[in-house]
Amino acid sequence: ALVFAEEMGVRTIPFMPALVPLRLKGGGYSRWSGIRFRGSVTLLINNVPLITDSGILQTTDYGISGIPVFQISRYAVRTLYENKSDAVSVRIDFVPDCSERELEEELFSRKERCPYKTMRQLLSGMLPEKLIPFLLPKDCPADKNNIRLVTEILKNFTAQVRDSAGLKYAQVCSGGVPLSELTEKLESRRIRNLYFTGEAVDVDGMCGGYNLQWAWSSGHAAGNAAAEI
Ligand SMILES: Cc1cc2nc3c(=O)[nH]c(=O)nc-3n(C[C@H](O)[C@H](O)[C@H](O)COP(=O)(O)OP(=O)(O)OC[C@H]3O[C@@H](n4cnc5c(N)ncnc54)[C@H](O)[C@@H]3O)c2cc1C
């Protein structure tokens, strides 16, 4: 669709993956690969939160996936496309059902009840077991300072985004023919009787059926307009 549009002299934006897993910078992600847990993920641009989503997150050997990651991914990819590659990061909350203070108090209370427990044992039952060694710093006795440090890690784990998992893994594309090139009836402003619809247009929505709805609605609108000619 893009090649055709360009050949016809219509301005286009390159297709970019959206609703897609994200690759993270740094190594060692094979150690957390294959875990599903309830969490929340926030996209940060220049350390400023842009969008947060919660639900079942999945860890992979290259980064993170799951519906909440899909929901924030188009903003990450578009920012990376604008070459602000160091500006994009994600913050994961591994214990979204309690505040930082509540989590810290719970860990202190567990330690008080069972002073002999290691940090790993204190976290048992709060997180998937496989995540605990990945998140805990090396040599982390269960003292006051480390309980505070671990609370901070569990609530605010931050990693830079390298890129997305790519078009092959995306459920939809952003990019295509910008709406500014089209009339309200989706006809090209440059070429009469030429219409663009669905994913060929730079419109993409969140998970939830919005992309299929856009494909059907835009096809219906453009088809009706073309039939009126
Ligand atoms: C795995 C997956 C899951 C998804 N889940 C959802 C979901 O749950 N909800 C939702 O809303 N959206 C979902 N989507 C997105 C949604 O399916 C698309 O946004 C929508 O189908 C786009 O419709 P379209 O008509 O623009 O393009 P397409 O559905 O891609 O249709 C384009 C058609 O054109 C044909 N074609 C291509 N080139 C040519 C050519 N040269 N000549 C003739 N024919 C050609 C193709 O074969 C294709 O049949 C999902 C997508 C994927 C990949």
Side-chain angles (χ1 to χ4, degrees), residues 170-172 197-200 208-213 215:
Q171 287 200 356
V172 74
T197 64
E199 285 208 46
Y210 302 105
N211 292 298
L212 281 170
Q213 183 62 58

Side-chain angles (χ1 to χ4, degrees), residues 40-44 47 49 52 89-93 155-159:
S40 95
V41 60
T42 299
L43 181 71
L44 307 168
N47 295 321
T52 298
S89 49
V90 285
R91 188 169 65 206
I92 302 173
D93 181 347
K155 294 296 288 178
N156 298 296
F157 177 88
T158 304

Side-chain angles (χ1 to χ4, degrees), residues 36-134:
R36 286 164 58 87
F37 60 96
R38 231 186 74 71
S40 95
V41 60
T42 299
L43 181 71
L44 307 168
I45 307 292
N46 289 321
N47 295 321
V48 178
L50 182 70
I51 176 172
T52 298
D53 207 84
S54 306
I56 302 299
L57 296 172
Q58 283 170 246
T59 50
T60 69
D61 57 359
Y62 55 78
I64 45 169
S65 184
I67 301 289
V69 175
F70 287 5
Q71 303 290 43
I72 67 167
S73 63
R74 67 99 58 205
Y75 302 99
V77 173
R78 291 293 277 236
T79 308
L80 289 169
Y81 168 69
E82 289 161 14
N83 289 325
K84 297 176 192 156
S85 58
D86 287 337
V88 184
S89 49
V90 285
R91 188 169 65 206
I92 302 173
D93 181 347
F94 290 95
V95 196
D97 293 331
C98 60
S99 68
E100 213 159 317
R101 194 182 167 154
E102 286 166 339
L103 176 59
E104 197 178 283
E105 281 173 6
E106 172 62 21
L107 290 174
F108 277 129
S109 127
R110 287 184 180 197
K111 184 67 185 171
E112 209 173 290
R113 276 181 273 132
C114 307
Y116 53 88
K117 282 198 170 175
T118 63
M119 187 67 88
R120 191 174 175 153
Q121 289 167 331
L122 290 186
L123 293 173
S124 185
M126 253 182 204
L127 296 170
E129 285 295 321
K130 195 174 166 188
L131 264 180
I132 298 175
F134 179 85

